[in-house]
Amino acid sequence: MTELFDTLLHLPEVFDRIAAADSHRRSAGGHAHHGAQGHAHVHGLGGSGGAPVDIVETPGEYSFVLDVPGFSKSDIQVTLEEDRVLVMKGGNGKRKREDEEEGEGCRYIRLERRAAPRSFQRKFRLPEDADTAAIAARCENGVLTVTVKKQPPPEKKTKSVQVTIA
């Protein structure tokens, strides 16, 4: 009976590992894009999964929106690596259950609430028009939003050529 209970106790963690592996398999080599010809692409570089992401392109910026329930602001890091790679990761390695600290004599009768993923990491290669000096991140109500401003397009210079008649 205790063995069955222990198995059931850790079942949500097993599901988290399976979901992370599935997310990694789907995102490896994948990319998100606006869909129209000539638009910049944001390339996904895989990651350990655990945090689904929406990528939105507007005329002035790119927005990355991730669901990160159970993570505090101090658990989350947003960095920019070489070659314009935006990295969003988080986790403290601890599963958060309110009753864990009650000590001996405490046992779960039923576990229906899913524990938040213990960690996540997502990497995306930013397009050339992304302004890597203008990146902002905020985490509010379990949602991480990272915005990357776009650089203005280079001005097109016109040159007048005098036409001579021969």
Side-chain angles (χ1 to χ4, degrees), residues 77-96:
Q77 294 179 332
V78 178
T79 57
L80 186 67
E81 293 180 347
E82 293 180 31
D83 297 327
R84 309 176 70 80
V85 176
L86 179 67
V87 180
M88 296 164 278
K89 62 183 174 180
N92 58 10
K94 295 181 182 175
R95 181 176 170 171
K96 297 182 179 182

Side-chain angles (χ1 to χ4, degrees), residues 4 9 22-23 30 33 51 67 69 82 84 97 109 111 114 116 125 147 150 163:
L4 175 62
L9 179 65
D22 183 55
S23 175
H33 64 280
D67 289 334
E82 293 180 31
R84 309 176 70 80
R97 289 272 188 206
I109 304 296
L111 290 171
R114 276 194 54 146
R125 185 173 313 282
T147 55
K150 288 184 176 181
V163 178

